[in-house]
Amino acid sequence: MAIVRPEMKSYIWLQTTDGSIQQVEEEVAMFCPMICREVSQTGKGSSKNYAIKLPQKVNPAVLGLILEYCRFHQLPGHSNMELKTYDEKFIRLDTASLCELLAAADSLKMKPLVTLISRALARIIEGKTCKEIRETFHIPDDLTEEEKLEPLRNLGDDPRVRLLNRLYARKRKELKERQKAKNVEVAEECVDKRPVDDLLSFINGGDGDSKCVKTSKNKKKNRRRKDRRRKTTSNNENESQEEDGVKPESHNGEMQDVSSPRRALVLQDLSSTTSLSDFNFDFNEEDVDDGLDPALKKEIDREVEEFARILNTAWQDRVQEILSSGQERRVLPFSIHGNSSVAKYSG
Amino acid sequence: MANSSGQDIITDLPQSIIEIILTKLPIRDAVRTSILSSRWRYKWATLTQLVFDDNCVSQFNDRTATENKLVKFITRFLFLHEGPIHKFTLSTYYLQSSPDIDQWLLFLSRKGIKELVLEVGDEEWFRAPSCLFACLKLTSLELLRCELDPPPEFRGFSCLKYLNLQQVLVAPEVIENLISGCPLLESLTLSYFDSLALTVRAPNLKYLKLEGEFKDICLEYTPLLVVVSVAMYMTDDKTEPFEQSSGCNFDKFLGGVPCLEKLTGQIYFTKYMSIGYELGKVPLTYDRLKLIQLYQVSFEDMKEILVVLRLILSSPNLQELQISSSSNAIAASEATDLNFWETDCPTGCTLKNLKTVKISDLSGVPHEMEFLKFLLKNSPVLEVMSVLPGIYVSCGKLNVVIELLRFRRASAKAEIIFIQDQV
């Protein structure tokens, strides 16, 4: 004669990733397919020492919710209406909790719960604008304006291409921002140019030091951009040397002897820091017809020039300072390269 | 469950879950997620269940403009889509038959389509291209307002389980061959056909729904049929062709369905079944038939009453019976054959499991009342009989009630509920 003790329930032991172990009534735990499989296949869960290790996504709080769900649903005798009402109440959680719950339910292979929460999330997403959706789920807005407007190109394409596109777009954004900032000082800009040109000719006519290098470098930059396809960096250097015409030539001798190694060094360094962006400009201008009208393209070209000059900000500042200080020779740190030896030539 | 503000809570979910969420969104919203962030750009592009309808595009007053927009949207979507497509639904009022649909079907046939629903505009019926018949992985096909003309080498869809054809222009042999060519077919729905004579051979068929004008239905080989629902339309002039069909319709239709569990017959169903009916033939017993619903039974026609009786008496496990009457009280007041109920009616037949009876549109004609009397006398476990009188019966209601009260009831538990004026 078997003695049946109704108060004896069997429990299953579950362990969450934080190490805490809890015991759950068997019929409740077995409602979850993953636990059910673990019990039947490995026999675990029967005691505290052999607790079933739950997947990583299941923390104690989420486990509590899931077990509540199991507890209600495994009881027979609920009408469809009752189940529905319970489900509707169950998903009245904040969005973050819903997402956590969804990940946990998925790792526990609870399909009906996954469907329920997915439907709830879909209802949250539906009808919202993208901005609202980003806010609700804290999705970072890392697409550029261009990318948002672009029809989806680059499907399954080279990730480098996409990276370059993004860099290009970022640069353009920066340029536009700087453009906006500079618009305030439009008049000054115009003024700025000429003094620099005059200054350069003055410098070239006067000192013949490595400042000249910088000048030619600027021009080289512009040329480089256009002639990139055909020429290598070294060729550029040579060419632009020639193109620079009268100014450096008269001092070529001096410059060559004194500054050529430096110049080469400087040019190389500069090219290494800016190759990517330069490459970007080239790549995109040649390759991609991004539907910009010529006017905007010119604008961008101008910006690129501006940008190139901005890269040489230190020089500009130096130059201006020299101007304002009235040709006072000073030793200024050459910040771009941190090469103190170059500073000698700032003189 | 606090999250640090600004931490993305959804993008890291597994792609399978994100696809479940996106599938529950209208497709337009699903595509718009592409600009949420860089990681969301192509999450929508691998969806396998696509539902396109007129809500995909904002609608203009100009029909052509809306149509063009819809075509562009779907074409672009499919062009950018990656991976297989299992379910495709196109349900549109604006779009007519167009070469674009043909192209989409060709595209789908290469993407392993399994479930296809196609419902296009009703001005010009869409002619199904031959690539539709190349979708050999189809398990479910639903077509509305369509013209089907399969190529001669078409042998059927070997995986098809669900077939629903509504308002489809197709030759009868084609349908028969189609049904025979789909050995796994479990559910067949044919609606709004004109004068269709059909012989159905479907070894796995479980669910059959027919609606329309059928000349002759023969369920030749449907041993597993469980649910049958038939709505037989007929114009009055067409009753003659009905009479000419050979054999007993009852046997042809329900002669080979031993597993039947639910039978629904509407409009002229009982009339159709009564043609060629011969009392005295050994009927098939429907051991599993639990629910019979017969609408618009004409109690003026003795033959139809016989059909109903045969059905009831052949179903020992019948639990629920719903009948609506289409009798005309005035015309049937001089009823003939009333002695049938006393003389020829089968005696000693107990409806051992009948628990619920619902009668509606009752006019109180003699045959109706005799029928109810018969039911009450022979149903020992009857629990509820609900009676809903026809709306045209105004003064006869009380008589009906009086008569009903008199009838002997075999079941002590039987409740007769007279439903009044359901507005």
Side-chain angles (χ1 to χ4, degrees), chain A residues 117-145:
Chain A
I117 306 176
S118 303
R119 211 181 309 135
L121 284 174
R123 264 185 282 175
I124 293 176
I125 295 175
E126 190 174 340
K128 285 202 164 74
T129 64
C130 286
K131 191 155 176 237
E132 289 166 354
I133 300 177
R134 276 192 219 108
E135 276 168 30
T136 314
F137 295 100
H138 310 300
I139 301 176
D141 184 5
D142 60 355
L143 284 174
T144 61
E145 285 308 315

Tab-separated table of all heavy atoms in Angstrom, chain A residues 117-145:
chain	number	residue	atom	x	y	z
A	117	ILE	N	5.909	38.931	-25.798
A	117	ILE	CA	6.705	40.144	-25.571
A	117	ILE	C	7.051	40.817	-26.897
A	117	ILE	O	7.065	42.054	-27.002
A	117	ILE	CB	7.980	39.816	-24.779
A	117	ILE	CG1	7.630	39.094	-23.489
A	117	ILE	CG2	8.727	41.086	-24.443
A	117	ILE	CD1	8.827	38.659	-22.707
A	118	SER	N	7.319	40.001	-27.924
A	118	SER	CA	7.629	40.603	-29.228
A	118	SER	C	6.461	41.430	-29.722
A	118	SER	O	6.627	42.521	-30.275
A	118	SER	CB	7.933	39.520	-30.263
A	118	SER	OG	8.973	38.712	-29.825
A	119	ARG	N	5.273	40.887	-29.501
A	119	ARG	CA	4.098	41.632	-29.941
A	119	ARG	C	3.995	42.947	-29.173
A	119	ARG	O	3.670	43.993	-29.731
A	119	ARG	CB	2.839	40.800	-29.730
A	119	ARG	CG	1.766	41.113	-30.758
A	119	ARG	CD	0.511	40.318	-30.551
A	119	ARG	NE	0.774	38.903	-30.432
A	119	ARG	CZ	0.215	38.140	-29.512
A	119	ARG	NH1	-0.641	38.647	-28.663
A	119	ARG	NH2	0.498	36.862	-29.442
A	120	ALA	N	4.295	42.885	-27.877
A	120	ALA	CA	4.229	44.104	-27.074
A	120	ALA	C	5.238	45.136	-27.574
A	120	ALA	O	4.931	46.325	-27.697
A	120	ALA	CB	4.490	43.764	-25.610
A	121	LEU	N	6.449	44.671	-27.878
A	121	LEU	CA	7.465	45.601	-28.365
A	121	LEU	C	7.082	46.156	-29.732
A	121	LEU	O	7.293	47.337	-30.029
A	121	LEU	CB	8.825	44.907	-28.442
A	121	LEU	CG	9.512	44.698	-27.091
A	121	LEU	CD1	10.764	43.871	-27.256
A	121	LEU	CD2	9.867	46.036	-26.469
A	122	ALA	N	6.514	45.291	-30.565
A	122	ALA	CA	6.090	45.780	-31.876
A	122	ALA	C	5.035	46.865	-31.720
A	122	ALA	O	5.047	47.876	-32.433
A	122	ALA	CB	5.543	44.623	-32.718
A	123	ARG	N	4.155	46.680	-30.751
A	123	ARG	CA	3.145	47.706	-30.530
A	123	ARG	C	3.774	49.004	-30.079
A	123	ARG	O	3.310	50.087	-30.415
A	123	ARG	CB	2.124	47.231	-29.490
A	123	ARG	CG	0.887	46.623	-30.114
A	123	ARG	CD	-0.128	46.281	-29.072
A	123	ARG	NE	0.230	45.065	-28.388
A	123	ARG	CZ	-0.447	44.581	-27.351
A	123	ARG	NH1	-1.493	45.214	-26.900
A	123	ARG	NH2	-0.069	43.477	-26.761
A	124	ILE	N	4.853	48.878	-29.302
A	124	ILE	CA	5.538	50.092	-28.854
A	124	ILE	C	6.185	50.806	-30.037
A	124	ILE	O	6.159	52.024	-30.160
A	124	ILE	CB	6.608	49.740	-27.795
A	124	ILE	CG1	5.937	49.246	-26.525
A	124	ILE	CG2	7.478	50.933	-27.492
A	124	ILE	CD1	6.900	48.788	-25.460
A	125	ILE	N	6.783	50.021	-30.938
A	125	ILE	CA	7.512	50.625	-32.048
A	125	ILE	C	6.567	51.208	-33.083
A	125	ILE	O	6.829	52.262	-33.682
A	125	ILE	CB	8.407	49.566	-32.726
A	125	ILE	CG1	9.486	49.102	-31.764
A	125	ILE	CG2	9.037	50.116	-33.981
A	125	ILE	CD1	10.329	47.985	-32.313
A	126	GLU	N	5.439	50.531	-33.272
A	126	GLU	CA	4.576	50.900	-34.382
A	126	GLU	C	4.090	52.329	-34.281
A	126	GLU	O	3.668	52.772	-33.231
A	126	GLU	CB	3.373	49.961	-34.407
A	126	GLU	CG	2.526	50.096	-35.650
A	126	GLU	CD	1.436	49.044	-35.686
A	126	GLU	OE1	1.588	48.030	-34.983
A	126	GLU	OE2	0.459	49.254	-36.399
A	127	GLY	N	4.160	53.030	-35.365
A	127	GLY	CA	3.596	54.371	-35.393
A	127	GLY	C	4.514	55.442	-34.852
A	127	GLY	O	4.233	56.620	-35.014
A	128	LYS	N	5.634	55.038	-34.239
A	128	LYS	CA	6.518	56.082	-33.727
A	128	LYS	C	7.435	56.573	-34.830
A	128	LYS	O	7.757	55.837	-35.759
A	128	LYS	CB	7.381	55.503	-32.596
A	128	LYS	CG	6.660	55.296	-31.281
A	128	LYS	CD	7.702	55.259	-30.163
A	128	LYS	CE	7.096	55.438	-28.813
A	128	LYS	NZ	6.370	54.271	-28.334
A	129	THR	N	7.898	57.796	-34.670
A	129	THR	CA	8.927	58.273	-35.601
A	129	THR	C	10.257	57.663	-35.176
A	129	THR	O	10.402	57.170	-34.068
A	129	THR	CB	9.069	59.791	-35.539
A	129	THR	OG1	9.530	60.136	-34.232
A	129	THR	CG2	7.772	60.474	-35.833
A	130	CYS	N	11.217	57.734	-36.075
A	130	CYS	CA	12.516	57.129	-35.777
A	130	CYS	C	13.150	57.763	-34.556
A	130	CYS	O	13.776	57.088	-33.736
A	130	CYS	CB	13.431	57.262	-36.976
A	130	CYS	SG	12.968	56.119	-38.274
A	131	LYS	N	12.956	59.048	-34.424
A	131	LYS	CA	13.554	59.729	-33.281
A	131	LYS	C	12.974	59.163	-31.993
A	131	LYS	O	13.695	58.880	-31.039
A	131	LYS	CB	13.246	61.221	-33.407
A	131	LYS	CG	14.009	62.059	-32.449
A	131	LYS	CD	14.200	63.500	-32.943
A	131	LYS	CE	14.902	64.299	-31.860
A	131	LYS	NZ	14.180	65.467	-31.439
A	132	GLU	N	11.666	59.005	-31.990
A	132	GLU	CA	11.025	58.487	-30.785
A	132	GLU	C	11.491	57.072	-30.498
A	132	GLU	O	11.728	56.697	-29.356
A	132	GLU	CB	9.497	58.507	-30.956
A	132	GLU	CG	8.918	59.900	-30.942
A	132	GLU	CD	7.485	59.933	-31.453
A	132	GLU	OE1	6.996	58.892	-31.927
A	132	GLU	OE2	6.868	61.000	-31.388
A	133	ILE	N	11.636	56.278	-31.554
A	133	ILE	CA	12.091	54.908	-31.337
A	133	ILE	C	13.493	54.915	-30.752
A	133	ILE	O	13.806	54.162	-29.819
A	133	ILE	CB	12.076	54.118	-32.660
A	133	ILE	CG1	10.672	54.062	-33.239
A	133	ILE	CG2	12.596	52.710	-32.449
A	133	ILE	CD1	10.596	53.373	-34.573
A	134	ARG	N	14.342	55.776	-31.276
A	134	ARG	CA	15.717	55.836	-30.747
A	134	ARG	C	15.703	56.218	-29.292
A	134	ARG	O	16.458	55.676	-28.480
A	134	ARG	CB	16.547	56.837	-31.545
A	134	ARG	CG	17.133	56.243	-32.805
A	134	ARG	CD	18.166	57.169	-33.413
A	134	ARG	NE	18.045	57.136	-34.845
A	134	ARG	CZ	17.547	58.122	-35.577
A	134	ARG	NH1	17.145	59.228	-34.992
A	134	ARG	NH2	17.448	57.999	-36.882
A	135	GLU	N	14.845	57.155	-28.953
A	135	GLU	CA	14.798	57.584	-27.554
A	135	GLU	C	14.301	56.465	-26.662
A	135	GLU	O	14.841	56.229	-25.590
A	135	GLU	CB	13.867	58.789	-27.420
A	135	GLU	CG	14.531	60.107	-27.741
A	135	GLU	CD	13.504	61.217	-27.876
A	135	GLU	OE1	12.457	61.117	-27.205
A	135	GLU	OE2	13.746	62.141	-28.649
A	136	THR	N	13.281	55.765	-27.138
A	136	THR	CA	12.710	54.719	-26.298
A	136	THR	C	13.723	53.626	-26.003
A	136	THR	O	13.801	53.117	-24.888
A	136	THR	CB	11.494	54.092	-26.998
A	136	THR	OG1	10.667	55.121	-27.512
A	136	THR	CG2	10.709	53.209	-26.061
A	137	PHE	N	14.500	53.255	-27.004
A	137	PHE	CA	15.409	52.129	-26.824
A	137	PHE	C	16.859	52.541	-26.678
A	137	PHE	O	17.742	51.687	-26.646
A	137	PHE	CB	15.296	51.179	-28.029
A	137	PHE	CG	13.948	50.539	-28.146
A	137	PHE	CD1	13.013	51.024	-29.022
A	137	PHE	CD2	13.626	49.439	-27.362
A	137	PHE	CE1	11.768	50.445	-29.126
A	137	PHE	CE2	12.381	48.845	-27.458
A	137	PHE	CZ	11.453	49.350	-28.347
A	138	HIS	N	17.104	53.824	-26.589
A	138	HIS	CA	18.476	54.339	-26.457
A	138	HIS	C	19.369	53.858	-27.576
A	138	HIS	O	20.501	53.419	-27.353
A	138	HIS	CB	19.084	53.914	-25.104
A	138	HIS	CG	18.207	54.216	-23.949
A	138	HIS	ND1	17.804	55.497	-23.636
A	138	HIS	CD2	17.607	53.422	-23.050
A	138	HIS	CE1	17.020	55.459	-22.582
A	138	HIS	NE2	16.873	54.227	-22.209
A	139	ILE	N	18.848	53.899	-28.790
A	139	ILE	CA	19.670	53.487	-29.917
A	139	ILE	C	20.515	54.681	-30.340
A	139	ILE	O	19.989	55.773	-30.538
A	139	ILE	CB	18.781	53.040	-31.101
A	139	ILE	CG1	17.896	51.877	-30.671
A	139	ILE	CG2	19.634	52.626	-32.282
A	139	ILE	CD1	16.941	51.452	-31.751
A	140	PRO	N	21.824	54.498	-30.474
A	140	PRO	CA	22.661	55.631	-30.880
A	140	PRO	C	22.391	56.033	-32.309
A	140	PRO	O	22.219	55.193	-33.194
A	140	PRO	CB	24.088	55.071	-30.735
A	140	PRO	CG	23.944	53.600	-30.856
A	140	PRO	CD	22.594	53.250	-30.293
A	141	ASP	N	22.358	57.322	-32.516
A	141	ASP	CA	22.046	57.834	-33.842
A	141	ASP	C	23.341	58.040	-34.611
A	141	ASP	O	23.859	59.138	-34.704
A	141	ASP	CB	21.284	59.165	-33.687
A	141	ASP	CG	20.845	59.711	-35.027
A	141	ASP	OD1	21.025	59.041	-36.052
A	141	ASP	OD2	20.322	60.839	-35.030
A	142	ASP	N	23.873	56.957	-35.142
A	142	ASP	CA	25.195	57.095	-35.733
A	142	ASP	C	25.189	57.035	-37.245
A	142	ASP	O	26.193	56.742	-37.873
A	142	ASP	CB	26.128	56.008	-35.182
A	142	ASP	CG	25.583	54.620	-35.498
A	142	ASP	OD1	24.478	54.512	-36.042
A	142	ASP	OD2	26.284	53.655	-35.184
A	143	LEU	N	24.041	57.316	-37.822
A	143	LEU	CA	24.035	57.422	-39.275
A	143	LEU	C	24.136	58.882	-39.648
A	143	LEU	O	23.546	59.726	-39.005
A	143	LEU	CB	22.735	56.844	-39.841
A	143	LEU	CG	22.627	55.325	-39.869
A	143	LEU	CD1	21.242	54.953	-40.322
A	143	LEU	CD2	23.652	54.728	-40.799
A	144	THR	N	24.843	59.166	-40.683
A	144	THR	CA	24.937	60.562	-41.109
A	144	THR	C	23.700	60.929	-41.909
A	144	THR	O	22.957	60.072	-42.344
A	144	THR	CB	26.155	60.758	-42.017
A	144	THR	OG1	25.957	59.917	-43.162
A	144	THR	CG2	27.409	60.353	-41.301
A	145	GLU	N	23.518	62.208	-42.099
A	145	GLU	CA	22.359	62.662	-42.864
A	145	GLU	C	22.355	62.041	-44.252
A	145	GLU	O	21.327	61.624	-44.751
A	145	GLU	CB	22.379	64.186	-42.990
A	145	GLU	CG	21.988	64.899	-41.721
A	145	GLU	CD	20.667	64.401	-41.163
A	145	GLU	OE1	19.706	64.228	-41.952
A	145	GLU	OE2	20.586	64.166	-39.953
